[in-house]
Amino acid sequence: DLPRNFTTAEKHLPPTNINYHNAFLALHHQISSKWKFTTQLGYMNFTQIGSSMWPDSLKANGDMYRSIGIWDARGKNLLGQAFVTGEVQTGSLQHKILAGIDLGHKQYMATWGQSFKLNGTDGPFNVYHPEYGKADASIVPFDRSMPLKDRADYHEDERYAGFYAQDEIHLFNDMLRLT
């Protein structure tokens, strides 16, 4: 068993910096006593410059061979939704109506194509007898000379649109509802 605050990370590893910014806007308009219009917009933007450390192997005696890889990323999401809700009576039937549209554009790119072994000067890191600072000589700076878009291993560009309409019909004094 290892203590909760145990880490396999070296003190001199460059930090991972994440900048995350978002904005949300929601507008509601009461059309009448039974009808309401709502629109919601969301914008999310983040960048990450850093690394990710993984165990390469772990032996029963606690010897761990560690690897560290670059993990630079950028993501941007633009999301929108507009819908109307309301009630209408047709004869003895009560209808609750929902109709709207959802739109989105999600973009993400990341690189993890550079990695190296993080080994100490006298062998692997041991989780039961950790000695920090011995791997400093094996810490290699990542090559970030090209823009992320040119070195990204993964690109995602997703656009979607969804339209929906729902009629919830109340029957038999609200004992049965059909949608």
Side-chain angles (χ1 to χ4, degrees):
D1 289 328
L2 298 172
R4 288 189 72 157
N5 65 349
F6 177 78
T7 182
T8 61
E10 292 290 335
K11 291 180 187 177
H12 297 97
L13 285 174
T16 294
N17 293 309
I18 299 172
N19 292 308
Y20 183 78
H21 306 281
N22 60 52
F24 298 98
L25 175 67
L27 300 172
H28 306 281
H29 177 66
Q30 195 72 39
I31 300 168
S32 70
S33 63
K34 296 188 181 221
W35 289 91
K36 180 176 158 183
F37 174 76
T38 302
T39 185
Q40 302 177 113
L41 302 170
Y43 172 78
M44 291 158 262
N45 188 338
F46 82 93
T47 57
Q48 172 178 313
I49 298 173
S51 61
S52 177
M53 194 171 74
W54 296 88
D56 186 83
S57 64
L58 178 64
K59 296 184 178 177
N61 69 352
D63 283 351
M64 176 188 285
Y65 289 88
R66 302 169 292 172
S67 292
I68 187 164
I70 191 170
W71 194 349
D72 293 354
R74 182 178 310 131
K76 182 166 58 169
N77 295 335
L78 298 167
L79 310 168
Q81 179 183 60
F83 59 92
V84 63
T85 57
E87 296 179 21
V88 65
Q89 191 84 22
T90 58
S92 64
L93 301 178
Q94 180 188 9
H95 301 266
K96 290 192 176 180
I97 307 293
L98 166 66
I101 181 173
D102 288 355
L103 301 168
H105 185 192
K106 299 178 179 181
Q107 297 174 303
Y108 179 78
M109 70 176 78
T111 182
W112 49 81
Q114 301 174 53
S115 64
F116 57 87
K117 303 282 186 209
L118 190 62
N119 295 323
T121 52
D122 17 328
F125 180 83
N126 188 285
V127 298
Y128 300 121
H129 307 288
E131 293 183 53
Y132 299 98
K134 294 197 170 201
D136 289 351
S138 66
I139 297 175
V140 178
F142 295 115
D143 180 5
R144 293 184 168 102
S145 60
M146 295 188 330
L148 177 59
K149 68 180 178 63
D150 295 333
R151 57 188 168 88
D153 303 296
Y154 179 77
H155 293 265
E156 181 181 312
D157 192 347
E158 176 185 316
R159 297 170 192 258
Y160 65 88
F163 303 91
Y164 49 92
Q166 175 181 313
D167 182 2
E168 180 183 272
I169 304 169
H170 297 238
L171 303 164
F172 308 114
N173 292 326
D174 231 7
M175 293 177 61
L176 177 65
R177 293 182 185 183
L178 294 176
T179 302

